[in-house]
Amino acid sequence: MRRLFWGVAAAGTLAGGAILAVIAWPVGVVPRPIELAGDPDRGAYLARAGGCIACHTDFERGGAPLAGGVALTTDFGTIRSPNVTPGPAGIGGWSVEDFARAVRQGVSPEGEPYYPAFPYPFYAGLSDQDIADLWAAFQTVPPSDAASVPPAMRFPFDQRWGLKLWRALYQHPPFVEPIEGRDAAWNRGRELVEGPAHCAACHTPRNALGGRNLSARYAGNDDLPGGADAPAIDAASLAANGWDADALAYALRSGITPEGDVFGGGMGEVVMHGTSWLSDADLQAMAAYLTDP
């Protein structure tokens, strides 16, 4: 009995210590100073490519640009995009380094991890110049006093320290590095698709904890927030459904499919507020990468 008691006590101590260690485990790193001059026009282009406008602007209710409030209903709870305008209710008190840490590492200025509804794993490859340009663009947006609504998550997902475990399991680096032997346009498409455009965030299936199944990248997802689904966009599926690079680039510009149908729902918003603003060269590059990986 004594051995059993001490065994249970030791196990409890170890478990408690492990939980405390996870809670205390810092996430992210302090970003290096960013002293580059930002180009707001290039930053606005990146913001379109990255979906910032679509996710942080409540068009349905006439919300101000980047003032947040867009609801994302998941199996874990409901998240509303925050106000990211440059005022007191948004990111007016942030430094560019705070911004860099949030965008690339998914960590708030207070050191709290963000929920992965914010696709920061895909933004991790953004350069310091990219961050400086985005920051410069965000400073040109009129400030809004709309209050950000905290996430309403079910237990235990409301315990943010648990996100540290999630990050350890499922936060994968973006696949944005150039591939030797592929041309510049294809590699540009890879950079956009796997990075800012974060296509895999919706078009890759996820497990019960919301982690992406990397063995089935672009194989589609029938369990998106709000009950939506995203089709498979791997090269084989695209070809089987009549898509070639030209058709895909045209659809990303216009929202019109090879059958003459139009994108609706989330993809319609992606086109309207994101890809339709991109250059023809970048759309062709994205299409080339997706149809010939």
Side-chain angles (χ1 to χ4, degrees):
M1 288 295 294
R2 181 176 297 177
R3 289 179 181 176
L4 178 61
F5 170 79
W6 286 112
V8 171
T13 300
L14 287 173
I19 291 173
L20 288 174
V22 170
I23 294 174
W25 173 37
V27 294
V29 297
V30 177
R32 57 186 176 274
I34 295 178
E35 300 174 345
L36 300 170
D39 179 344
D41 292 333
R42 183 174 183 274
Y45 187 88
L46 277 172
R48 290 288 185 183
C52 305
I53 287 82
C55 285
H56 289 274
T57 305
D58 190 354
F59 292 100
E60 184 176 338
R61 295 175 177 78
L66 297 180
V70 180
L72 192 68
T73 303
T74 74
D75 294 338
F76 314 108
T78 299
I79 297 174
R80 290 187 179 274
S81 57
N83 182 341
V84 290
T85 65
I91 59 173
W94 290 21
S95 66
V96 63
E97 288 78 20
D98 291 332
F99 183 73
R101 192 181 186 200
V103 170
R104 292 194 292 209
Q105 300 178 44
V107 180
S108 75
E110 296 74 34
E112 286 190 338
Y114 288 121
Y115 286 100
F118 177 29
Y120 57 84
F122 297 91
Y123 302 153
L126 293 176
S127 69
D128 283 0
Q129 186 64 66
D130 293 334
I131 294 294
D133 293 342
L134 280 167
W135 179 252
F138 274 54
Q139 304 314 300
T140 68
V141 177
S144 167
D145 60 2
S148 296
V149 179
M153 309 300 284
R154 296 189 293 106
F155 181 84
F157 307 111
D158 58 347
Q159 305 298 304
R160 281 188 182 263
W161 61 267
L163 290 171
K164 299 175 183 180
L165 292 175
W166 190 94
R167 293 164 68 97
L169 291 170
Y170 303 120
Q171 184 176 346
H172 308 288
F175 304 98
V176 294
E177 69 283 354
I179 301 297
E180 189 175 351
R182 305 306 296 254
D183 62 32
W186 185 93
N187 275 308
R188 172 61 174 170
R190 175 180 171 85
E191 176 189 354
L192 288 166
V193 168
E194 303 286 0
H198 60 276
C199 303
C202 288
H203 290 274
T204 295
R206 295 176 181 263
N207 61 27
L209 293 177
R212 281 176 289 143
N213 180 358
L214 295 188
S215 65
R217 289 171 63 227
Y218 300 114
N221 187 345
D222 59 3
D223 190 26
L224 289 177
D229 58 62
I233 57 169
D234 58 279
S237 296
L238 287 172
N241 287 296
W243 293 88
D244 60 18
D246 287 340
L248 184 54
Y250 180 74
L252 291 174
R253 165 76 65 209
S254 66
I256 301 174
T257 72
E259 296 81 16
D261 199 358
V262 295
F263 290 138
M267 192 61 201
E269 293 179 0
V270 167
V271 172
M272 181 182 299
H273 305 301
T275 57
S276 66
W277 295 76
L278 303 187
S279 69
D280 289 339
D282 276 349
L283 294 180
Q284 287 287 347
M286 292 172 69
Y289 173 71
L290 284 167
T291 55
D292 181 24

